[in-house]
Amino acid sequence: MRIAICDESREDRLALKTFVTRYFRGAAVPCESILYDNIQMLACDILGGATFDLLIMDIYYSGLPIGMGMAKELRKQGCRSAILFSCVSGDFLLESYDVAAVGYLMKPIRYEKLTDVLGRLAEHVLRTCYLVQQKSRLIYIPINEIMYFESANTKCHIHRANGDMLTIYRQLREVERELDDERFLRCHQSFLVNMHYVAEARDVFVLRDGTEVLIRQKSRKQFHEVLKNYLGNENITTKGMNYQY
């Protein structure tokens, strides 16, 4: 988990970091907290490419309620981080729904209240991410960002939609069992593909980026039907498919 904590009060920043660290240590979830005392700097980092799973933000800065406006602007710019507001006033509670905030806590923050929000977030991450061990650190990869897994003997390569590739020491059948996700189809002994990324189906599956994923030929028709049913559209040509049996 990567969390940004933005608050002008040093005392509040440190208290929130202590609470967050305490919670995720107990939940056995790796966590990194980055502290900000300036909301413009936080926004600048995010728009510059920094990513966070959660933003814990005050609403008031220099006596002005600019936090809510900044949250709305971040959403307009495509920021998908979970947002948790902390504030001395409940005046903006209803407005927080406009940015799909996961919580709105009144100061002073109580650990028990914060853990309610963190628990929901951790559950969501564990449910929607695939856990990868890379040396001494754990990486949570959103499942919907994985295009396909490729077997390489005792290892698997994880190919992500952003072009990144990670290698793990797992057999493909173990990965398939761990995922247990209807989006993924074991179309070949060496490939487990996320059907969401299939752009064309013929002798192979052609993914959106042009990658060709092998299909077990004796089951080609069956796999085409599985894909067709997954897409939920009888008129498969509208999905860019070209079935050749």
Side-chain angles (χ1 to χ4, degrees), residues 124-139:
H124 174 75
V125 169
L126 292 172
R127 188 175 64 250
T128 61
C129 292
Y130 185 69
L131 178 62
V132 172
Q133 179 80 45
Q134 290 285 292
K135 295 183 179 179
S136 61
R137 67 192 184 110
L138 295 173
I139 301 175

Side-chain angles (χ1 to χ4, degrees), residues 22 52 75 116 124 130 143 149 160 167 177 198 232 236:
R22 173 183 167 189
F52 298 97
R75 286 292 191 238
D116 288 343
H124 174 75
Y130 185 69
I143 293 173
F149 294 84
R160 299 180 64 177
T167 299
R177 184 173 62 250
V198 177
I236 54 177

Side-chain angles (χ1 to χ4, degrees), residues 6-151:
C6 188
D7 199 299
E8 283 186 329
S9 166
R10 180 175 183 274
E11 182 181 352
D12 288 344
R13 288 196 306 273
L14 294 178
L16 283 167
K17 180 177 181 179
T18 298
F19 288 164
V20 166
T21 301
R22 173 183 167 189
Y23 177 81
F24 284 110
R25 183 182 295 124
V29 175
C31 175
E32 178 186 12
S33 297
I34 296 87
L35 305 184
Y36 292 86
D37 61 3
N38 184 298
I39 195 168
Q40 283 87 0
M41 185 61 68
L42 170 61
C44 183
D45 282 356
I46 292 173
L47 297 178
T51 58
F52 298 97
D53 298 294
L54 173 65
L55 310 178
I56 303 179
M57 302 166 50
D58 195 356
I59 290 179
Y60 283 93
Y61 297 85
S62 301
L64 299 174
I66 62 176
M68 183 63 70
M70 189 63 74
K72 291 180 179 179
E73 182 60 29
L74 288 173
R75 286 292 191 238
K76 287 181 182 178
Q77 297 300 322
C79 176
R80 299 172 62 184
S81 304
I83 295 177
L84 169 62
F85 289 114
S86 63
C87 191
V88 295
S89 165
D91 294 345
F92 297 90
L93 176 59
L94 292 179
E95 201 170 345
S96 69
Y97 291 106
D98 294 340
V99 295
V102 296
Y104 189 106
L105 301 181
M106 298 291 293
K107 292 185 176 183
I109 303 297
R110 293 172 52 200
Y111 178 72
E112 294 75 15
K113 292 291 185 181
L114 180 61
T115 57
D116 288 343
V117 177
L118 297 182
R120 295 198 302 270
L121 182 63
E123 181 181 356
H124 174 75
V125 169
L126 292 172
R127 188 175 64 250
T128 61
C129 292
Y130 185 69
L131 178 62
V132 172
Q133 179 80 45
Q134 290 285 292
K135 295 183 179 179
S136 61
R137 67 192 184 110
L138 295 173
I139 301 175
Y140 288 83
I141 305 176
I143 293 173
N144 60 11
E145 293 181 5
I146 299 174
M147 291 200 302
Y148 66 100
F149 294 84
E150 180 182 8
S151 176

